[in-house]
Amino acid sequence: MYLITVIDIPHMFFLKKRIHKVIIPFILWSILGFFFIYGKEGFPLTIKNFCVAFLTGNIVGPYWFFYNIIGFYICVPFISLIIKYGSTNIIKYTIFILIIVNTGIPVINVFFNTQSSFGTSVPFIGPYAQYFIAGWYLNNVNIAKKNRLRIYSLAIVMLLFEIVATIYFSFFVKHIPMLNYPDGIVKTFYDIAMFPSFCVMCALFLFLKQLEPKLSSEVMRKNLKKVAGLTFGIYLIHPFIIVWLLNPFNQIFLQLPLIVKMLIDPLFVYCLSGLIVMIVRKIGLLHWIVP
């Protein structure tokens, strides 16, 4: 009864807000994706195919993150209890366990070509919890300068490691079953849930936190806030831009060097998606589909 009282009203409000801002747009854009992306590949547009593709995350590739984040939202009430009632040491211990289970063990499995059962024995939640708890910790606990430097140094080392390891396992180590990713590119080491990326993200968050008080220009603050507010809408729209515009354009400009495409393509997709988000939000009732 006490647990229900603690998580009831504020967390039900949280879930209701997430349903409006995340789940409903996810469903609506998945329906659009079914017709304009999934259908473009030549698959039959039937209700059964929609249900199967939706449940398996095969309609819009980049929307895989929704399946993870929705499960995470369901677990937020439990995680918030750790943050609210746990000591700093308990929070650090929780982050440590999450890192070991969700990012350490998978990397060890890669090196030894094994499937450890230890990870599934821990009755906790997925790897994204570490970001939630670490974000709270970095935001609310004062990190000494020497420790900040240690975090930055570790992040640089981990960034180099994930680049080198990705290239090495993708191009020089072949025929390892558990590394059989599409197009032969191994994402284990740069996946956002893995330890190297976790270190980089924590360092970036900490750097921006330290930088924020130094942003004296009110205009810059407002512009950064506006750009940040476009992020979710860009995430929803960008797969459509890639399929309908970027891919055809890249077929036309095949002679362009790969490095040029790597620099131009993301900027093109990001800027055009952001422009569409701003326009849609100004069109009457349509603004709510890109919150």
Side-chain angles (χ1 to χ4, degrees):
M1 181 62 70
Y2 174 69
L3 178 62
I4 294 175
T5 303
V6 170
I7 69 174
D8 191 12
I9 296 177
H11 293 101
M12 288 304 295
F13 175 77
F14 170 83
L15 291 175
K16 182 179 179 181
K17 185 178 180 181
R18 294 298 95 187
I19 289 173
H20 173 72
K21 287 189 169 291
V22 176
I23 297 178
I24 292 178
F26 166 47
I27 295 173
L28 290 176
W29 283 94
S30 292
I31 294 172
L32 291 174
F34 182 68
F35 289 100
F36 294 103
I37 295 180
Y38 188 84
K40 187 176 173 63
E41 300 296 326
F43 296 105
L45 300 179
T46 64
I47 295 177
K48 179 182 179 180
N49 278 352
F50 172 79
C51 292
V52 172
F54 181 77
L55 292 174
T56 55
N58 290 324
I59 295 179
V60 182
Y63 286 4
W64 63 266
F65 186 70
F66 279 111
Y67 297 88
N68 291 273
I69 202 67
I70 289 172
F72 174 72
Y73 286 152
I74 294 173
C75 296
V76 162
F78 307 105
I79 303 173
S80 64
L81 294 179
I82 297 174
I83 291 175
K84 185 174 182 179
Y85 296 103
S87 64
T88 302
N89 286 334
I90 288 294
I91 292 172
K92 288 192 289 187
Y93 173 75
T94 303
I95 296 173
F96 174 75
I97 293 298
L98 285 168
I99 290 174
I100 293 298
V101 173
N102 294 316
T103 73
I105 292 177
V107 172
I108 293 173
N109 286 337
V110 168
F111 280 109
F112 291 96
N113 194 21
T114 59
Q115 284 290 354
S116 171
S117 60
F118 177 73
T120 57
S121 70
V122 180
F124 204 43
I125 57 177
Y128 298 100
Q130 62 205 26
Y131 282 96
F132 184 92
I133 299 175
W136 179 92
Y137 182 86
L138 294 173
N139 187 57
N140 292 277
V141 177
N142 185 35
I143 309 295
K145 184 177 180 179
K146 64 177 182 179
N147 288 332
R148 292 202 302 270
L149 293 176
R150 289 171 181 168
I151 292 174
Y152 296 149
S153 299
L154 178 62
I156 293 172
V157 172
M158 288 295 102
L159 179 61
L160 293 174
F161 169 77
E162 66 178 346
I163 293 173
V164 172
T166 298
I167 294 173
Y168 177 72
F169 280 95
S170 296
F171 299 101
F172 297 99
V173 178
K174 302 293 185 180
H175 309 301
I176 298 180
M178 64 185 305
L179 300 183
N180 187 25
Y181 290 102
D183 302 319
I185 303 300
V186 176
K187 70 173 187 176
T188 301
F189 302 99
Y190 70 83
D191 188 275
I192 193 172
M194 294 295 104
F195 183 68
S197 293
F198 176 73
C199 293
V200 173
M201 296 300 174
C202 286
L204 180 61
F205 180 90
L206 190 58
F207 173 76
L208 294 176
K209 176 190 173 184
Q210 297 299 314
L211 181 65
E212 184 180 10
K214 300 177 182 179
L215 298 177
S216 56
S217 172
E218 188 63 27
V219 175
M220 183 179 293
R221 289 175 180 267
K222 288 183 178 180
N223 288 334
L224 286 174
K225 186 176 181 180
K226 288 180 180 179
V227 172
L230 297 174
T231 304
F232 184 57
I234 291 173
Y235 177 69
L236 288 169
I237 290 174
H238 85 277
F240 296 84
I241 302 298
I242 291 174
V243 170
W244 284 93
L245 291 177
L246 184 65
N247 289 344
F249 283 165
N250 279 339
Q251 292 298 317
I252 296 174
F253 300 107
L254 285 174
Q255 69 277 13
L256 287 176
L258 179 61
I259 187 64
V260 174
K261 293 181 181 180
M262 289 173 63
L263 295 174
I264 294 178
D265 286 3
L267 291 175
F268 171 77
V269 173
Y270 184 88
C271 293
L272 183 57
S273 300
L275 179 62
I276 293 174
V277 171
M278 289 189 289
I279 293 173
V280 170
R281 285 180 176 175
K282 294 181 182 295
I283 303 177
L285 298 176
L286 292 181
H287 68 88
W288 62 275
I289 69 173
V290 281

